Each structure stands twice: as structure tokens, then as C-alpha cells.
């Protein structure tokens, strides 16, 4: 198991750092900060609350440190998240600014969910080694972690894999997580833009994206299908029936893009289904 733990600690407020380090170094999955409420740690699926309550200053410290005070982070924050060094994802809730029916910023943050990025080489070794593959599961089930290892196995198995890592979570900067010998990673752009760039410039045999959340994501993958590449992706759904009930995923189903589906459970076990 690999984790940029020290990178995580740098974004944790100093007054909480020692206790978070002591309790969570090996088992922390999520750290929840809610103004006026006890700090909450999710350790191996079990909640533990500290005696310390979160303040507004704690929230501001995390956001400012994770974004490195950079204006470019505002676009990411408007979508409700930040990605810190090491691939740790910070979910943000608070008062939104809406213009033209779209959220353009979060004016004031009231709560954060810091999800710890950990790498577990080998967990995807029994997954199909060829063909397109969709990974389904609820939030926190380990979809990103499993996808990362499947990418690595296919790459080391001889396939050129282009990864469109929109949030910088699959393979964060610093070469912390091994991407495989034939993997090319594109980060910081949308899935639609990244898929188009990869197809035009990198000659991939496989394209991987994390978290299909919009119609344009689906359309980008459908376009790639006609170019003869395998696709690896994740989506929030409990199972195939749940996926089929959601209009956003209709293009994936109608085109028969994914015939193999891995379904993850909350206990991080998984099984293979046919679409």
C-alpha cells in the first residue's frame, strides 16, 4: 500500500495534525470537518469523533493550503472539490454563487470531506485484461483505486494506455503511484478534451477516465469507441440495473459500449457482470 501521507498532513490544521497522524496513518479513509461539529475520522469504515470541534479557520486553512492560494483552483472549487498534492480529494459544501443557472463559485465553505488516496498494487490482477470495462460502485467503495491498478496491469501487459486524469487523482504529480510502463497521463482538462487529444496524438490501445458524471463524458467515450480503442471508466451506480435506470448513462447502454462490468460493494469486494 502506498499513500502520500505527509502531503495529507500538510493540509490538516496544525492543531489536529498530531491526533490525525496517530489514529489515521494506516487506516484513515475520510476526514470530515464541519464548522461547530466534532472532527470526524472514518477508519476502516468506522466513524470516530474527536473531542475537538471544527472552526471556520480550520476550513479556510485546508482550502488555502490545498489550492496553494492559486486562482486557477476556483473552477475546481465551483464544482465542489479540490485535489490536493498526493491525489487526496477534498469535497466542499457551503454557500454557492449561481450565475445563469450554473454554480460559479462557493462563497463560503462550511464543511469538507477529505478522502485519502491510497494505492493497492495487485487488487486488479484478476480483472479482464482486454476489452472495454466499466467499474460501478457507491461513493467510497474504491472505484478509483481499482481502476488505477487495472490501468497498471494493462500497461505492463503491453498495451499503450492513455489516462485522462481530470482531477489529478489517478496518478498525481510526483510519480507516487506507478502508472505502468506504457501509460501516458493527461491531467487538468475535461474528459471530452482529453479523450480527443489522446486519440489524435498518443496512438492508444486503451483510454481510461474516472467518474463519468455528465452527458459530454458519455459522448466522448462513444466517439472513442468508433476509433477502435478499449475503454476503462468508473460510474456511480449500485449495479447494472441501477445504471440502466439513469438517463445520463443512456448513450453507454444504447451503443453497447461496455459489455463487461465490475460491480464493487461497500466492503470493497467486487464481482464481474455482463451488461
Amino acid at each position: 500500500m502506498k499513500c502520500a501521507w505527509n502531503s495529507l498532513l500538510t493540509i490538516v490544521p496544525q492543531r489536529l495534525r498530531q491526533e490525525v497522524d496517530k489514529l489515521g496513518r494506516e487506516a484513515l479513509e475520510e476526514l470530515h470537518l464541519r464548522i461547530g461539529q466534532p472532527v470526524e475520522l472514518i477508519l476502516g469504515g468506522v466513524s470516530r469523533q474527536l473531542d475537538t470541534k471544527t472552526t471556520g479557520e480550520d476550513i479556510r486553512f485546508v482550502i488555502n493550503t490545498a489550492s496553494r492560494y492559486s486562482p486557477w483552483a476556483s473552477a475546481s472549487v465551483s464544482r465542489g472539490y479540490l485535489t490536493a498534492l498526493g491525489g487526496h480529494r477534498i469535497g466542499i459544501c457551503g454557500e454557492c454563487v449561481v450565475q445563469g443557472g450554473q454554480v460559479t463559485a462557493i462563497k463560503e465553505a462550511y464543511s469538507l470531506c477529505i478522502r485519502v488516496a491510497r494505492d493497492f498494487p495487485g487488487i486488479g490482477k484478476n480483472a479482464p485484461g482486454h476489452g472495454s470495462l466499466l467499474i460501478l460502485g457507491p461513493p467510497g467503495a474504491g472505484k478509483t483505486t481499482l481502476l488505477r491498478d487495472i490501468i497498471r496491469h494493462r500497461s505492463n501487459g503491453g498495451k499503450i494506455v492513455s489516462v485522462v486524469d481530470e482531477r489529478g487523482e489517478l496518478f498525481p504529480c510526483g510519480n507516487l503511484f506507478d502508472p505502468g510502463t506504457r501509460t501516458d497521463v493527461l491531467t487538468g482538462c475535461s474528459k471530452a478534451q482529453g479523450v480527443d487529444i489522446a486519440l489524435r496524438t498518443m496512438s492508444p490501445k486503451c483510454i481510461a477516465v474516472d467518474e463519468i458524471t455528465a452527458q459530454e463524458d458519455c459522448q466522448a467515450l462513444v466517439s472513442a469507441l468508433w476509433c477502435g480503442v478499449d475503454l476503462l471508466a468508473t460510474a456511480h451506480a449500485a449495479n447494472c440495473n441501477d445504471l440502466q435506470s439513469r438517463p445520463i448513462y443512456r448513450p453507454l447502454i444504447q451503443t453497447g459500449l461496455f459489455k463487461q462490468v465490475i460491480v464493487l460493494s461497500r466492503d470493497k469486494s467486487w464481482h464481474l457482470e455482463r451488461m
Side-chain angles (χ1 to χ4, degrees), residues 124-160:
K125 65 180 180 181
N126 294 323
H130 61 275
S132 296
L133 185 64
L134 181 63
I135 301 172
L136 304 181
K143 296 184 295 296
T144 299
T145 306
L146 180 58
L147 175 61
R148 183 186 299 123
D149 199 50
I150 292 173
I151 291 168
R152 186 162 41 224
H153 278 283
R154 292 204 179 188
S155 175
N156 289 337
K159 292 187 177 180
I160 296 176

PDB file of all heavy atoms in Angstrom, residues 124-160:
ATOM      1  N   GLY A 124      -6.284  -5.409  -8.883  1.00  0.00           N
ATOM      2  CA  GLY A 124      -6.966  -5.559 -10.160  1.00  0.00           C
ATOM      3  C   GLY A 124      -6.413  -6.668 -11.033  1.00  0.00           C
ATOM      4  O   GLY A 124      -6.782  -6.781 -12.206  1.00  0.00           O
ATOM      5  N   LYS A 125      -5.560  -7.518 -10.482  1.00  0.00           N
ATOM      6  CA  LYS A 125      -4.884  -8.519 -11.311  1.00  0.00           C
ATOM      7  C   LYS A 125      -5.842  -9.553 -11.903  1.00  0.00           C
ATOM      8  O   LYS A 125      -5.538 -10.153 -12.946  1.00  0.00           O
ATOM      9  CB  LYS A 125      -3.786  -9.208 -10.509  1.00  0.00           C
ATOM     10  CG  LYS A 125      -4.281 -10.031  -9.337  1.00  0.00           C
ATOM     11  CD  LYS A 125      -3.115 -10.680  -8.600  1.00  0.00           C
ATOM     12  CE  LYS A 125      -3.614 -11.519  -7.418  1.00  0.00           C
ATOM     13  NZ  LYS A 125      -2.476 -12.136  -6.683  1.00  0.00           N
ATOM     14  N   ASN A 126      -6.980  -9.781 -11.267  1.00  0.00           N
ATOM     15  CA  ASN A 126      -7.934 -10.766 -11.772  1.00  0.00           C
ATOM     16  C   ASN A 126      -9.017 -10.153 -12.646  1.00  0.00           C
ATOM     17  O   ASN A 126      -9.926 -10.867 -13.091  1.00  0.00           O
ATOM     18  CB  ASN A 126      -8.583 -11.512 -10.602  1.00  0.00           C
ATOM     19  CG  ASN A 126      -7.579 -12.366  -9.839  1.00  0.00           C
ATOM     20  OD1 ASN A 126      -6.673 -12.957 -10.433  1.00  0.00           O
ATOM     21  ND2 ASN A 126      -7.716 -12.420  -8.519  1.00  0.00           N
ATOM     22  N   ALA A 127      -8.943  -8.860 -12.896  1.00  0.00           N
ATOM     23  CA  ALA A 127      -9.910  -8.209 -13.779  1.00  0.00           C
ATOM     24  C   ALA A 127      -9.584  -8.558 -15.228  1.00  0.00           C
ATOM     25  O   ALA A 127      -8.447  -8.922 -15.554  1.00  0.00           O
ATOM     26  CB  ALA A 127      -9.857  -6.696 -13.580  1.00  0.00           C
ATOM     27  N   PRO A 128     -10.568  -8.496 -16.131  1.00  0.00           N
ATOM     28  CA  PRO A 128     -10.305  -8.781 -17.551  1.00  0.00           C
ATOM     29  C   PRO A 128      -9.155  -7.953 -18.087  1.00  0.00           C
ATOM     30  O   PRO A 128      -9.069  -6.753 -17.828  1.00  0.00           O
ATOM     31  CB  PRO A 128     -11.631  -8.408 -18.227  1.00  0.00           C
ATOM     32  CG  PRO A 128     -12.660  -8.604 -17.157  1.00  0.00           C
ATOM     33  CD  PRO A 128     -11.987  -8.172 -15.883  1.00  0.00           C
ATOM     34  N   GLY A 129      -8.280  -8.595 -18.851  1.00  0.00           N
ATOM     35  CA  GLY A 129      -7.089  -7.921 -19.367  1.00  0.00           C
ATOM     36  C   GLY A 129      -7.270  -7.317 -20.740  1.00  0.00           C
ATOM     37  O   GLY A 129      -6.336  -6.733 -21.296  1.00  0.00           O
ATOM     38  N   HIS A 130      -8.467  -7.430 -21.311  1.00  0.00           N
ATOM     39  CA  HIS A 130      -8.731  -6.835 -22.626  1.00  0.00           C
ATOM     40  C   HIS A 130     -10.210  -6.493 -22.724  1.00  0.00           C
ATOM     41  O   HIS A 130     -11.033  -6.942 -21.911  1.00  0.00           O
ATOM     42  CB  HIS A 130      -8.333  -7.796 -23.750  1.00  0.00           C
ATOM     43  CG  HIS A 130      -9.094  -9.083 -23.716  1.00  0.00           C
ATOM     44  ND1 HIS A 130      -8.721 -10.148 -22.933  1.00  0.00           N
ATOM     45  CD2 HIS A 130     -10.240  -9.464 -24.358  1.00  0.00           C
ATOM     46  CE1 HIS A 130      -9.580 -11.139 -23.091  1.00  0.00           C
ATOM     47  NE2 HIS A 130     -10.504 -10.750 -23.943  1.00  0.00           N
ATOM     48  N   GLY A 131     -10.552  -5.685 -23.707  1.00  0.00           N
ATOM     49  CA  GLY A 131     -11.923  -5.238 -23.886  1.00  0.00           C
ATOM     50  C   GLY A 131     -12.239  -4.049 -22.996  1.00  0.00           C
ATOM     51  O   GLY A 131     -11.520  -3.740 -22.047  1.00  0.00           O
ATOM     52  N   SER A 132     -13.351  -3.380 -23.311  1.00  0.00           N
ATOM     53  CA  SER A 132     -13.783  -2.238 -22.511  1.00  0.00           C
ATOM     54  C   SER A 132     -14.380  -2.718 -21.191  1.00  0.00           C
ATOM     55  O   SER A 132     -14.983  -3.794 -21.133  1.00  0.00           O
ATOM     56  CB  SER A 132     -14.805  -1.402 -23.280  1.00  0.00           C
ATOM     57  OG  SER A 132     -14.211  -0.834 -24.439  1.00  0.00           O
ATOM     58  N   LEU A 133     -14.213  -1.907 -20.163  1.00  0.00           N
ATOM     59  CA  LEU A 133     -14.608  -2.319 -18.823  1.00  0.00           C
ATOM     60  C   LEU A 133     -15.121  -1.116 -18.047  1.00  0.00           C
ATOM     61  O   LEU A 133     -14.460  -0.082 -17.976  1.00  0.00           O
ATOM     62  CB  LEU A 133     -13.410  -2.937 -18.104  1.00  0.00           C
ATOM     63  CG  LEU A 133     -13.621  -3.536 -16.716  1.00  0.00           C
ATOM     64  CD1 LEU A 133     -14.577  -4.724 -16.783  1.00  0.00           C
ATOM     65  CD2 LEU A 133     -12.286  -3.967 -16.131  1.00  0.00           C
ATOM     66  N   LEU A 134     -16.314  -1.258 -17.447  1.00  0.00           N
ATOM     67  CA  LEU A 134     -16.905  -0.203 -16.628  1.00  0.00           C
ATOM     68  C   LEU A 134     -16.952  -0.670 -15.180  1.00  0.00           C
ATOM     69  O   LEU A 134     -17.395  -1.786 -14.892  1.00  0.00           O
ATOM     70  CB  LEU A 134     -18.320   0.116 -17.116  1.00  0.00           C
ATOM     71  CG  LEU A 134     -19.087   1.213 -16.378  1.00  0.00           C
ATOM     72  CD1 LEU A 134     -18.383   2.560 -16.529  1.00  0.00           C
ATOM     73  CD2 LEU A 134     -20.524   1.296 -16.890  1.00  0.00           C
ATOM     74  N   ILE A 135     -16.487   0.176 -14.267  1.00  0.00           N
ATOM     75  CA  ILE A 135     -16.476  -0.140 -12.841  1.00  0.00           C
ATOM     76  C   ILE A 135     -17.595   0.645 -12.161  1.00  0.00           C
ATOM     77  O   ILE A 135     -17.637   1.872 -12.229  1.00  0.00           O
ATOM     78  CB  ILE A 135     -15.121   0.216 -12.202  1.00  0.00           C
ATOM     79  CG1 ILE A 135     -13.984  -0.550 -12.903  1.00  0.00           C
ATOM     80  CG2 ILE A 135     -15.124  -0.099 -10.711  1.00  0.00           C
ATOM     81  CD1 ILE A 135     -12.594  -0.114 -12.468  1.00  0.00           C
ATOM     82  N   LEU A 136     -18.497  -0.073 -11.497  1.00  0.00           N
ATOM     83  CA  LEU A 136     -19.624   0.544 -10.805  1.00  0.00           C
ATOM     84  C   LEU A 136     -19.471   0.365  -9.295  1.00  0.00           C
ATOM     85  O   LEU A 136     -18.921  -0.629  -8.837  1.00  0.00           O
ATOM     86  CB  LEU A 136     -20.949  -0.096 -11.237  1.00  0.00           C
ATOM     87  CG  LEU A 136     -21.298  -0.106 -12.716  1.00  0.00           C
ATOM     88  CD1 LEU A 136     -22.655  -0.771 -12.919  1.00  0.00           C
ATOM     89  CD2 LEU A 136     -21.298   1.298 -13.290  1.00  0.00           C
ATOM     90  N   GLY A 137     -20.007   1.316  -8.547  1.00  0.00           N
ATOM     91  CA  GLY A 137     -19.986   1.193  -7.096  1.00  0.00           C
ATOM     92  C   GLY A 137     -20.440   2.476  -6.443  1.00  0.00           C
ATOM     93  O   GLY A 137     -20.447   3.541  -7.074  1.00  0.00           O
ATOM     94  N   PRO A 138     -20.829   2.407  -5.177  1.00  0.00           N
ATOM     95  CA  PRO A 138     -21.234   3.611  -4.442  1.00  0.00           C
ATOM     96  C   PRO A 138     -20.021   4.460  -4.085  1.00  0.00           C
ATOM     97  O   PRO A 138     -18.873   3.984  -4.179  1.00  0.00           O
ATOM     98  CB  PRO A 138     -21.895   3.036  -3.182  1.00  0.00           C
ATOM     99  CG  PRO A 138     -21.197   1.714  -2.974  1.00  0.00           C
ATOM    100  CD  PRO A 138     -20.923   1.191  -4.350  1.00  0.00           C
ATOM    101  N   PRO A 139     -20.216   5.706  -3.661  1.00  0.00           N
ATOM    102  CA  PRO A 139     -19.085   6.544  -3.237  1.00  0.00           C
ATOM    103  C   PRO A 139     -18.291   5.869  -2.121  1.00  0.00           C
ATOM    104  O   PRO A 139     -18.866   5.291  -1.194  1.00  0.00           O
ATOM    105  CB  PRO A 139     -19.776   7.821  -2.732  1.00  0.00           C
ATOM    106  CG  PRO A 139     -21.066   7.869  -3.480  1.00  0.00           C
ATOM    107  CD  PRO A 139     -21.497   6.439  -3.629  1.00  0.00           C
ATOM    108  N   GLY A 140     -16.968   5.928  -2.243  1.00  0.00           N
ATOM    109  CA  GLY A 140     -16.101   5.375  -1.214  1.00  0.00           C
ATOM    110  C   GLY A 140     -15.854   3.887  -1.318  1.00  0.00           C
ATOM    111  O   GLY A 140     -15.180   3.313  -0.450  1.00  0.00           O
ATOM    112  N   ALA A 141     -16.374   3.236  -2.365  1.00  0.00           N
ATOM    113  CA  ALA A 141     -16.197   1.789  -2.488  1.00  0.00           C
ATOM    114  C   ALA A 141     -14.823   1.409  -3.029  1.00  0.00           C
ATOM    115  O   ALA A 141     -14.421   0.246  -2.935  1.00  0.00           O
ATOM    116  CB  ALA A 141     -17.291   1.194  -3.387  1.00  0.00           C
ATOM    117  N   GLY A 142     -14.109   2.367  -3.619  1.00  0.00           N
ATOM    118  CA  GLY A 142     -12.769   2.081  -4.133  1.00  0.00           C
ATOM    119  C   GLY A 142     -12.679   1.993  -5.642  1.00  0.00           C
ATOM    120  O   GLY A 142     -11.767   1.349  -6.172  1.00  0.00           O
ATOM    121  N   LYS A 143     -13.581   2.663  -6.353  1.00  0.00           N
ATOM    122  CA  LYS A 143     -13.582   2.603  -7.819  1.00  0.00           C
ATOM    123  C   LYS A 143     -12.286   3.149  -8.410  1.00  0.00           C
ATOM    124  O   LYS A 143     -11.681   2.540  -9.293  1.00  0.00           O
ATOM    125  CB  LYS A 143     -14.779   3.375  -8.384  1.00  0.00           C
ATOM    126  CG  LYS A 143     -16.129   2.800  -8.003  1.00  0.00           C
ATOM    127  CD  LYS A 143     -17.275   3.544  -8.670  1.00  0.00           C
ATOM    128  CE  LYS A 143     -17.394   4.977  -8.225  1.00  0.00           C
ATOM    129  NZ  LYS A 143     -17.719   5.091  -6.769  1.00  0.00           N
ATOM    130  N   THR A 144     -11.854   4.306  -7.923  1.00  0.00           N
ATOM    131  CA  THR A 144     -10.630   4.925  -8.441  1.00  0.00           C
ATOM    132  C   THR A 144      -9.414   4.048  -8.160  1.00  0.00           C
ATOM    133  O   THR A 144      -8.545   3.870  -9.016  1.00  0.00           O
ATOM    134  CB  THR A 144     -10.434   6.316  -7.813  1.00  0.00           C
ATOM    135  OG1 THR A 144     -11.537   7.152  -8.156  1.00  0.00           O
ATOM    136  CG2 THR A 144      -9.143   6.959  -8.305  1.00  0.00           C
ATOM    137  N   THR A 145      -9.354   3.477  -6.971  1.00  0.00           N
ATOM    138  CA  THR A 145      -8.225   2.629  -6.587  1.00  0.00           C
ATOM    139  C   THR A 145      -8.145   1.393  -7.470  1.00  0.00           C
ATOM    140  O   THR A 145      -7.057   1.004  -7.920  1.00  0.00           O
ATOM    141  CB  THR A 145      -8.361   2.207  -5.109  1.00  0.00           C
ATOM    142  OG1 THR A 145      -8.528   3.376  -4.309  1.00  0.00           O
ATOM    143  CG2 THR A 145      -7.123   1.464  -4.643  1.00  0.00           C
ATOM    144  N   LEU A 146      -9.292   0.771  -7.734  1.00  0.00           N
ATOM    145  CA  LEU A 146      -9.309  -0.414  -8.599  1.00  0.00           C
ATOM    146  C   LEU A 146      -8.968  -0.046 -10.034  1.00  0.00           C
ATOM    147  O   LEU A 146      -8.187  -0.753 -10.696  1.00  0.00           O
ATOM    148  CB  LEU A 146     -10.684  -1.083  -8.535  1.00  0.00           C
ATOM    149  CG  LEU A 146     -10.858  -2.345  -9.387  1.00  0.00           C
ATOM    150  CD1 LEU A 146      -9.844  -3.419  -9.006  1.00  0.00           C
ATOM    151  CD2 LEU A 146     -12.284  -2.872  -9.256  1.00  0.00           C
ATOM    152  N   LEU A 147      -9.531   1.044 -10.528  1.00  0.00           N
ATOM    153  CA  LEU A 147      -9.229   1.489 -11.890  1.00  0.00           C
ATOM    154  C   LEU A 147      -7.740   1.724 -12.061  1.00  0.00           C
ATOM    155  O   LEU A 147      -7.145   1.320 -13.078  1.00  0.00           O
ATOM    156  CB  LEU A 147     -10.005   2.771 -12.205  1.00  0.00           C
ATOM    157  CG  LEU A 147      -9.699   3.437 -13.549  1.00  0.00           C
ATOM    158  CD1 LEU A 147     -10.030   2.510 -14.709  1.00  0.00           C
ATOM    159  CD2 LEU A 147     -10.446   4.765 -13.676  1.00  0.00           C
ATOM    160  N   ARG A 148      -7.117   2.354 -11.093  1.00  0.00           N
ATOM    161  CA  ARG A 148      -5.680   2.634 -11.165  1.00  0.00           C
ATOM    162  C   ARG A 148      -4.874   1.348 -11.370  1.00  0.00           C
ATOM    163  O   ARG A 148      -3.956   1.297 -12.189  1.00  0.00           O
ATOM    164  CB  ARG A 148      -5.234   3.347  -9.893  1.00  0.00           C
ATOM    165  CG  ARG A 148      -3.755   3.751  -9.895  1.00  0.00           C
ATOM    166  CD  ARG A 148      -3.343   4.315  -8.545  1.00  0.00           C
ATOM    167  NE  ARG A 148      -4.080   5.504  -8.192  1.00  0.00           N
ATOM    168  CZ  ARG A 148      -4.808   5.648  -7.094  1.00  0.00           C
ATOM    169  NH1 ARG A 148      -4.910   4.644  -6.223  1.00  0.00           N
ATOM    170  NH2 ARG A 148      -5.447   6.773  -6.840  1.00  0.00           N
ATOM    171  N   ASP A 149      -5.223   0.294 -10.647  1.00  0.00           N
ATOM    172  CA  ASP A 149      -4.457  -0.942 -10.751  1.00  0.00           C
ATOM    173  C   ASP A 149      -4.739  -1.682 -12.051  1.00  0.00           C
ATOM    174  O   ASP A 149      -3.841  -2.307 -12.620  1.00  0.00           O
ATOM    175  CB  ASP A 149      -4.743  -1.850  -9.558  1.00  0.00           C
ATOM    176  CG  ASP A 149      -3.663  -2.901  -9.361  1.00  0.00           C
ATOM    177  OD1 ASP A 149      -2.458  -2.519  -9.338  1.00  0.00           O
ATOM    178  OD2 ASP A 149      -3.985  -4.095  -9.253  1.00  0.00           O
ATOM    179  N   ILE A 150      -5.967  -1.600 -12.550  1.00  0.00           N
ATOM    180  CA  ILE A 150      -6.279  -2.223 -13.842  1.00  0.00           C
ATOM    181  C   ILE A 150      -5.503  -1.528 -14.959  1.00  0.00           C
ATOM    182  O   ILE A 150      -4.977  -2.177 -15.869  1.00  0.00           O
ATOM    183  CB  ILE A 150      -7.799  -2.178 -14.101  1.00  0.00           C
ATOM    184  CG1 ILE A 150      -8.516  -3.108 -13.111  1.00  0.00           C
ATOM    185  CG2 ILE A 150      -8.107  -2.583 -15.533  1.00  0.00           C
ATOM    186  CD1 ILE A 150     -10.028  -3.011 -13.178  1.00  0.00           C
ATOM    187  N   ILE A 151      -5.434  -0.200 -14.893  1.00  0.00           N
ATOM    188  CA  ILE A 151      -4.620   0.548 -15.864  1.00  0.00           C
ATOM    189  C   ILE A 151      -3.188   0.054 -15.832  1.00  0.00           C
ATOM    190  O   ILE A 151      -2.566  -0.207 -16.873  1.00  0.00           O
ATOM    191  CB  ILE A 151      -4.663   2.061 -15.547  1.00  0.00           C
ATOM    192  CG1 ILE A 151      -6.054   2.618 -15.827  1.00  0.00           C
ATOM    193  CG2 ILE A 151      -3.599   2.820 -16.350  1.00  0.00           C
ATOM    194  CD1 ILE A 151      -6.273   4.021 -15.274  1.00  0.00           C
ATOM    195  N   ARG A 152      -2.634  -0.066 -14.647  1.00  0.00           N
ATOM    196  CA  ARG A 152      -1.245  -0.506 -14.478  1.00  0.00           C
ATOM    197  C   ARG A 152      -1.030  -1.896 -15.072  1.00  0.00           C
ATOM    198  O   ARG A 152      -0.038  -2.141 -15.768  1.00  0.00           O
ATOM    199  CB  ARG A 152      -0.918  -0.471 -12.994  1.00  0.00           C
ATOM    200  CG  ARG A 152       0.526  -0.759 -12.644  1.00  0.00           C
ATOM    201  CD  ARG A 152       0.843  -0.285 -11.233  1.00  0.00           C
ATOM    202  NE  ARG A 152      -0.213  -0.574 -10.277  1.00  0.00           N
ATOM    203  CZ  ARG A 152      -0.654   0.292  -9.363  1.00  0.00           C
ATOM    204  NH1 ARG A 152      -0.138   1.490  -9.271  1.00  0.00           N
ATOM    205  NH2 ARG A 152      -1.599  -0.044  -8.514  1.00  0.00           N
ATOM    206  N   HIS A 153      -1.951  -2.827 -14.822  1.00  0.00           N
ATOM    207  CA  HIS A 153      -1.807  -4.190 -15.332  1.00  0.00           C
ATOM    208  C   HIS A 153      -1.870  -4.221 -16.855  1.00  0.00           C
ATOM    209  O   HIS A 153      -1.095  -4.943 -17.499  1.00  0.00           O
ATOM    210  CB  HIS A 153      -2.885  -5.099 -14.736  1.00  0.00           C
ATOM    211  CG  HIS A 153      -2.549  -5.605 -13.366  1.00  0.00           C
ATOM    212  ND1 HIS A 153      -1.647  -6.617 -13.143  1.00  0.00           N
ATOM    213  CD2 HIS A 153      -2.975  -5.221 -12.138  1.00  0.00           C
ATOM    214  CE1 HIS A 153      -1.543  -6.856 -11.847  1.00  0.00           C
ATOM    215  NE2 HIS A 153      -2.337  -6.009 -11.213  1.00  0.00           N
ATOM    216  N   ARG A 154      -2.786  -3.479 -17.433  1.00  0.00           N
ATOM    217  CA  ARG A 154      -2.881  -3.471 -18.898  1.00  0.00           C
ATOM    218  C   ARG A 154      -1.657  -2.832 -19.527  1.00  0.00           C
ATOM    219  O   ARG A 154      -1.156  -3.288 -20.557  1.00  0.00           O
ATOM    220  CB  ARG A 154      -4.157  -2.747 -19.333  1.00  0.00           C
ATOM    221  CG  ARG A 154      -5.420  -3.517 -18.963  1.00  0.00           C
ATOM    222  CD  ARG A 154      -6.584  -3.157 -19.843  1.00  0.00           C
ATOM    223  NE  ARG A 154      -7.771  -3.928 -19.490  1.00  0.00           N
ATOM    224  CZ  ARG A 154      -8.895  -3.929 -20.199  1.00  0.00           C
ATOM    225  NH1 ARG A 154      -8.979  -3.178 -21.294  1.00  0.00           N
ATOM    226  NH2 ARG A 154      -9.935  -4.645 -19.819  1.00  0.00           N
ATOM    227  N   SER A 155      -1.178  -1.768 -18.911  1.00  0.00           N
ATOM    228  CA  SER A 155       0.011  -1.093 -19.420  1.00  0.00           C
ATOM    229  C   SER A 155       1.233  -2.001 -19.354  1.00  0.00           C
ATOM    230  O   SER A 155       1.976  -2.146 -20.329  1.00  0.00           O
ATOM    231  CB  SER A 155       0.261   0.183 -18.607  1.00  0.00           C
ATOM    232  OG  SER A 155       1.464   0.805 -18.984  1.00  0.00           O
ATOM    233  N   ASN A 156       1.443  -2.635 -18.215  1.00  0.00           N
ATOM    234  CA  ASN A 156       2.583  -3.542 -18.070  1.00  0.00           C
ATOM    235  C   ASN A 156       2.425  -4.793 -18.922  1.00  0.00           C
ATOM    236  O   ASN A 156       3.407  -5.485 -19.215  1.00  0.00           O
ATOM    237  CB  ASN A 156       2.764  -3.936 -16.600  1.00  0.00           C
ATOM    238  CG  ASN A 156       3.275  -2.788 -15.751  1.00  0.00           C
ATOM    239  OD1 ASN A 156       3.887  -1.850 -16.263  1.00  0.00           O
ATOM    240  ND2 ASN A 156       3.018  -2.840 -14.452  1.00  0.00           N
ATOM    241  N   GLY A 157       1.186  -5.079 -19.332  1.00  0.00           N
ATOM    242  CA  GLY A 157       0.930  -6.216 -20.210  1.00  0.00           C
ATOM    243  C   GLY A 157       1.166  -5.914 -21.673  1.00  0.00           C
ATOM    244  O   GLY A 157       0.961  -6.786 -22.528  1.00  0.00           O
ATOM    245  N   GLY A 158       1.572  -4.682 -21.983  1.00  0.00           N
ATOM    246  CA  GLY A 158       1.972  -4.369 -23.348  1.00  0.00           C
ATOM    247  C   GLY A 158       1.089  -3.398 -24.094  1.00  0.00           C
ATOM    248  O   GLY A 158       1.406  -3.021 -25.225  1.00  0.00           O
ATOM    249  N   LYS A 159      -0.017  -2.938 -23.493  1.00  0.00           N
ATOM    250  CA  LYS A 159      -0.914  -2.026 -24.185  1.00  0.00           C
ATOM    251  C   LYS A 159      -0.575  -0.571 -23.864  1.00  0.00           C
ATOM    252  O   LYS A 159      -0.265  -0.242 -22.724  1.00  0.00           O
ATOM    253  CB  LYS A 159      -2.365  -2.304 -23.790  1.00  0.00           C
ATOM    254  CG  LYS A 159      -2.876  -3.641 -24.298  1.00  0.00           C
ATOM    255  CD  LYS A 159      -4.361  -3.800 -24.026  1.00  0.00           C
ATOM    256  CE  LYS A 159      -4.867  -5.121 -24.622  1.00  0.00           C
ATOM    257  NZ  LYS A 159      -6.319  -5.307 -24.380  1.00  0.00           N
ATOM    258  N   ILE A 160      -0.648   0.280 -24.888  1.00  0.00           N
ATOM    259  CA  ILE A 160      -0.494   1.714 -24.653  1.00  0.00           C
ATOM    260  C   ILE A 160      -1.808   2.240 -24.090  1.00  0.00           C
ATOM    261  O   ILE A 160      -2.864   2.107 -24.712  1.00  0.00           O
ATOM    262  CB  ILE A 160      -0.141   2.461 -25.950  1.00  0.00           C
ATOM    263  CG1 ILE A 160       1.219   2.005 -26.487  1.00  0.00           C
ATOM    264  CG2 ILE A 160      -0.137   3.975 -25.711  1.00  0.00           C
ATOM    265  CD1 ILE A 160       1.591   2.618 -27.816  1.00  0.00           C
TER     266      ILE A 160
END
